[in-house]
């Protein structure tokens, strides 16, 4: 009986592919998974100024090294045991005080040691004669000396002190243009990315597998670029800022909660309007208050909103300008406690307001020429002492908030082509990082540049993409993973840098989760249709030509107008000779309608009233009867002519 069941099972199993059914899952080790996402060593550190190549070797030394490479047993590395031990001798004078190099010396033949040294060549060949001592110091002979142990320990300590997680990399793709906005919630489970393709994609690390696909896609405002995204402090809602004048609030799952009102563009004073009248440039949720957000716009104003009231703002801030007009506010930011607001103005100035009782639009800190071009990002440090600014002029400036007259440090040669390029701090704020854009003539790709906050110097550069520009970046404190958005005119994605030994959750979870395999329940047999046109759904549509011709012949269905009657009338209609309607025919027959104008002359019809007008003038003559002057005629001159 068991054999029959097995035969039946084998017969049924033959109808299904081998990939279906219960199978033993082959567990892929995590090390192998992370090896597939490992980055190529493209980072350049500031400590790599010393070249490790042996470019300073002479030709004879290189030839000697090449001859030693295929025979590792006779290697002359000074750090290992160098050849066989020297022959033992009781004579202390014959033992060389230095370490023996190469094969052992031949036995003495009664010749002095000085002569032996001159005849037998020990080690690499000597440099050619004629070189000065200064040249000998500059030219490296033989293999390079190992660096002193103290320096190597210092370099290792310095690298371990930063612990930048960048050994592995994954990319969240899906956008068709550059990704201009990025937001990671505080728990590190959800990632939002907005792009110039007008869409927002939502990623969830807990529900995402190694295919790295988004679970929802939104289009906040049709035809407007997404410029900024910001989570609320409780991470249950997020703010979406687009190129339109109205910001939107969404819940955690991507459902719209509300849209802020648009102002009246015909009101001159921006404080009297209920909302922005031009496209938004930036927006950020309050770091502490769950009901307050801040937005900036191209109309030259900043507005503080209450999330519960979408009809009007709480406060309007107008920046200080050198001359009256409307200069766009390019970026805005809260400090860590939400007690100060910083804004970058289109004229290059940086302005800071302190939220205190009775505060107004007059800034507390005003830096007139912070940058020579538009400012793309402002970032406060958590202790409130440092302010970072990024601009289109290709620079990053570090400001001391206690002394804002001049910048502490200016980092140049950071190309920036996008208005959303930002700056981010590391979790311990020892480092800060920013991205660079691709230039047409440059051969280097886009990079993430890391700077030391205490020393104010470049620490490392990490290559992200050879063809796409880096716009937004973030270093999540709980995940210890670095996010960098990049893209160009045809594609966009979010790069996530992590280290399996340093990072937690986030990318580690979704990379190790394989896509779900199809089970037996997912198998669907494709039915064979023997009579394809039996159902009306699959039946070909019949020709409608005859039906259209029949409809045109029907006067009611075609709504054809009635033609005039040429002969005698019928159906309540009278012929044309007696009138087109029955009422007209009856009036004419009864004598109530007389049409005589066709038979009369118009001149005679007017002149027949001439005699009656002279005898009994009714209209014009009585009005001038008493004031009518008497006609006076001139006398004839014929008598004078005769005389």
């Amino acid at each position: 009986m068991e054999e029959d069941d097995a035969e039946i099972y084998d017969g049924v199993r033959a109808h299904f592919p081998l990939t279906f059914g219960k199978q033993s899952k082959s567990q892929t080790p995590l090390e192998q998974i992370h090896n597939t996402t490992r980055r190529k060593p493209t980072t350049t550190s500031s400590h790599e100024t010393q070249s490790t190549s042996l470019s300073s070797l002479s030709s004879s030394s290189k030839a000697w090294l090449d001859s030693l490479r295929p025979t590792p047993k006779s290697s002359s590395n000074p750090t290992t045991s160098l050849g066989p031990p020297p022959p033992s001798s009781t004579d202390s004078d014959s033992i060389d005080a230095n370490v023996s190099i190469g094969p052992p010396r031949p036995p003495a033949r009664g010749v002095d040691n000085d002569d032996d040294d001159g005849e037998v060549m020990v080690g690499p060949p000597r440099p050619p004669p004629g070189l000065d001592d200064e040249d000998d110091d500059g030219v490296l002979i033989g293999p390079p000396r190992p660096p002193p142990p103290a320096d190597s320990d210092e370099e290792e300590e310095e690298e371990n002190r930063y612990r930048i997680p960048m050994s592995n990399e994954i990319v969240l793709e899906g956008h068709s243009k550059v990704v201009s906005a990025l937001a990671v919630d505080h728990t590190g489970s959800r990632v939002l990315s907005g792009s110039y393709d007008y869409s927002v994609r939502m990623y969830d690390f807990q529900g995402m597998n190694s295919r790295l696909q988004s679970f929802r896609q939104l289009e906040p405002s049709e035809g407007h670029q997404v410029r900024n995204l910001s989570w609320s402090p409780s991470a249950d809602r997020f703010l979406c800022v687009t190129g339109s004048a109205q910001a939107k609030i969404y819940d955690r799952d991507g459902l719209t909660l509300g849209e802020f009102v648009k102002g009246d563009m015909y009101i001159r004073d921006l404080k009297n309007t209920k909302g922005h009248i031009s496209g938004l440039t930036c927006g950020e949720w309050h770091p502490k208050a769950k009901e307050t957000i801040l937005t900036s716009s191209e109309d030259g104003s900043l507005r503080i909103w209450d999330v519960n009231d979408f009809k009007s703002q709480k406060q309007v801030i107008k920046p200080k300008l050198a001359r009256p007009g409307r200069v766009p506010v390019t970026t805005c930011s809260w400090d860590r406690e939400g007690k100060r607001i910083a804004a970058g103005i289109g004229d290059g100035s940086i302005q800071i307001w302190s939220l205190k009782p009775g505060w107004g639009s007059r800034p507390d800190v005003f830096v007139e020429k912070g940058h020579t071009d538009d400012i793309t990002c402002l970032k406060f440090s958590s202790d409130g002492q440092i302010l970072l600014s990024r601009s289109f002029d290709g620079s990053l400036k570090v400001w001391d908030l206690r002394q804002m007259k001049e910048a502490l440090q200016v980092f140049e040669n950071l190309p920036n082509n996008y208005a959303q390029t930002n700056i981010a701090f590391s979790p311990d704020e020892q480092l800060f990082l920013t991205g660079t854009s691709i230039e047409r003539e440059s051969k280097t790709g886009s990079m993430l540049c890391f700077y030391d906050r205490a020393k104010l110097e470049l620490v490392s550069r990490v290559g992200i993409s050879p063809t796409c520009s880096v716009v937004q970046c973030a270093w999540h404190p709980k995940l210890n993973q670095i996010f960098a958005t990049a893209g160009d005119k045809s594609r966009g994605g979010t790069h996530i840098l992590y280290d399996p030994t340093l990072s937690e959750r986030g990318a580690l979870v979704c990379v190790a989760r394989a896509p779900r395999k199809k089970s037996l329940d997912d198998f669907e047999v494709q039915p064979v249709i023997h009579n394809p046109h039996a159902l009306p759904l699959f039946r070909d549509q019949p020709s409608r030509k005859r039906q259209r011709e029949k409809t045109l012949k029907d006067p009611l269905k075609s709504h054809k107008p009635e033609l005039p009657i040429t002969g005698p009338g019928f159906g309540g209609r009278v012929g044309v000779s007696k009138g087109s309607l029955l009422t007209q025919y009856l009036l004419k027959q009864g004598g109530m309608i007389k049409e005589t104008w066709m038979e009369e002359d118009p001149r005679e019809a007017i002149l027949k009233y001439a005699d009656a007008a002279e005898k009994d003038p009714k209209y014009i003559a009585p009005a001038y009867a008493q004031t009518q002057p008497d006609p006076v005629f001139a006398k004839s001159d014929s008598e004078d002519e005769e005389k």
Side-chain angles (χ1 to χ4, degrees), residues 433-627:
L433 62 148
T434 186
T436 61
S437 299
I438 294 289
E439 290 184 320
R440 292 183 178 179
E441 299 179 356
S442 68
K443 297 181 180 179
T444 59
S446 60
M447 294 181 293
L448 274 178
C449 300
F450 294 82
Y451 298 92
D452 192 325
R453 175 183 171 181
K455 299 180 181 179
L456 296 179
E457 63 182 10
L458 177 66
V459 172
S460 177
R461 289 193 182 98
V462 180
I464 298 297
S465 174
T467 58
C468 299
S469 300
V470 176
V471 181
Q472 294 253 314
C473 57
W475 193 335
H476 199 275
K478 290 187 177 180
L479 304 180
N480 195 21
Q481 297 172 12
I482 300 173
F483 297 79
T485 68
D488 54 12
K489 293 181 179 180
S490 59
R491 63 184 179 203
T494 303
H495 298 249
I496 304 178
L497 308 181
Y498 69 96
D499 192 333
T501 60
L502 302 176
S503 304
E504 297 180 2
R505 302 193 309 275
L508 298 174
V509 177
C510 61
V511 168
R513 185 183 294 120
R516 187 177 72 89
K517 293 184 178 180
K518 291 184 178 180
S519 65
L520 193 61
D521 299 332
D522 298 330
F523 183 75
E524 294 181 1
V525 179
Q526 298 295 333
V528 180
I529 302 175
H530 298 284
N531 190 3
H533 302 296
L535 298 175
L537 179 64
F538 303 103
R539 192 178 302 158
D540 293 337
Q541 295 293 331
S543 177
R544 303 286 184 181
K545 184 177 181 181
R546 292 184 179 180
Q547 189 175 358
R548 285 198 302 268
E549 292 178 353
K550 187 177 180 181
T551 304
L552 290 175
K553 291 180 179 180
D554 190 351
L556 296 179
K557 292 183 179 180
S558 63
H559 302 283
K560 186 177 181 180
E562 296 179 352
L563 295 174
I565 298 176
T566 56
F570 65 92
R573 298 183 62 192
V574 186
V576 180
S577 59
K578 299 295 182 179
S580 60
L581 297 177
L582 180 61
T583 53
Q584 294 180 359
Y585 173 75
L586 294 175
L587 289 173
K588 288 179 180 179
Q589 293 297 105
M592 298 179 67
I593 297 178
K594 294 181 180 180
E595 295 180 357
T596 59
W597 57 273
M598 293 290 291
E599 303 171 357
E600 294 182 358
D601 185 11
R603 183 173 181 277
E604 293 179 356
I606 295 174
L607 290 177
K608 70 181 181 180
Y609 299 103
D611 296 339
E614 289 182 0
K615 294 178 181 179
D616 187 14
K618 294 181 179 180
Y619 304 103
I620 299 176
Y624 301 97
Q626 298 185 6
T627 59

Side-chain angles (χ1 to χ4, degrees), residues 92-385:
S92 60
D93 297 335
S94 63
I95 298 175
D96 194 356
N98 298 328
V99 180
S100 62
I101 301 176
R105 297 180 179 180
R109 299 177 182 176
V111 188
D112 296 338
N113 292 336
D114 297 337
D115 297 334
D116 290 338
D117 293 337
E119 293 177 359
V120 179
M121 182 175 66
V122 179
R126 295 180 180 179
L131 295 177
D132 299 336
D133 294 339
E134 295 178 1
D135 295 334
D136 292 337
D137 295 338
V139 178
L140 179 64
I141 307 300
R145 297 180 181 178
D151 296 342
S152 62
D153 294 342
E154 289 179 1
E155 290 182 3
E156 290 179 0
E157 289 179 1
E158 194 163 358
E159 290 179 358
N160 295 333
R161 182 161 63 93
Y162 297 124
R163 300 175 70 86
I164 301 175
M166 56 184 180
S167 63
N168 295 62
E169 178 183 13
I170 62 173
V171 183
L172 304 179
E173 297 178 344
H175 290 286
S176 59
K177 290 186 179 180
V178 62
V179 181
S180 57
L182 173 69
V184 188
D185 68 344
H186 309 296
T187 59
S189 60
R190 293 220 166 157
V191 180
L192 305 175
S193 64
S195 171
Y196 278 8
D197 61 2
Y198 319 136
S199 66
V200 174
R201 287 186 175 267
M202 304 179 67
Y203 300 88
D204 186 61
F205 283 129
Q206 304 300 325
M208 189 164 53
N209 54 30
S210 58
R211 292 179 180 174
L212 306 177
Q213 294 179 349
S214 61
F215 73 92
R216 180 155 297 173
Q217 181 178 0
L218 312 171
E219 189 170 356
S221 185
E222 186 177 358
H224 291 284
Q225 302 170 349
V226 181
R227 295 185 174 176
N228 202 12
L229 296 167
S230 178
W231 284 99
S232 66
S234 56
D236 58 344
R237 292 170 290 182
F238 66 89
L239 167 69
C240 180
V241 173
T242 62
S244 66
Q246 298 171 274
K248 281 190 174 182
I249 303 294
Y250 293 88
D251 68 353
R252 187 175 176 83
D253 295 325
L255 301 179
T256 306
L257 298 178
E259 183 179 20
F260 292 105
V261 71
K262 184 178 181 180
D264 189 352
M265 65 180 67
Y266 298 105
I267 297 178
R268 178 82 177 163
D269 191 0
L270 294 176
K271 287 193 173 183
N272 295 328
T273 61
K274 295 183 179 180
H276 291 291
I277 62 174
S278 298
L280 300 176
T281 57
C282 189
E284 191 173 339
W285 211 294
H286 194 282
K288 301 293 184 182
K290 297 191 296 182
E291 312 298 332
T292 306
I293 65 170
L294 172 68
T295 57
S296 62
S297 171
E298 297 171 353
D299 60 8
S301 67
L302 295 97
R303 296 176 191 265
I304 301 176
W305 302 82
D306 188 353
V307 179
N308 299 322
D309 182 16
F310 292 99
K311 299 297 183 182
S312 180
Q313 72 274 345
K314 291 170 58 177
Q315 180 80 18
V316 182
I317 306 173
K318 295 173 64 177
K320 180 180 178 182
L321 302 175
R323 59 184 62 183
R326 287 185 181 177
V327 180
V329 182
T330 56
T331 184
C332 61
S333 176
W334 296 95
D335 70 341
R336 182 70 176 271
E337 301 297 326
K339 295 181 179 179
R340 283 185 290 186
I341 294 173
I345 317 300
D347 57 4
S349 64
I350 300 174
Q351 303 185 24
I352 302 176
W353 294 266
S354 297
L355 305 187
K356 52 189 177 183
W359 71 284
S361 293
R362 186 177 183 86
D364 296 319
V365 177
F366 177 74
V367 182
E368 185 175 1
K369 295 181 180 179
H371 286 274
T372 58
D373 208 336
D374 288 354
I375 300 171
T376 61
C377 179
L378 293 172
K379 185 74 173 178
F380 285 97
S381 62
S382 60
D383 56 5
Q385 296 182 359

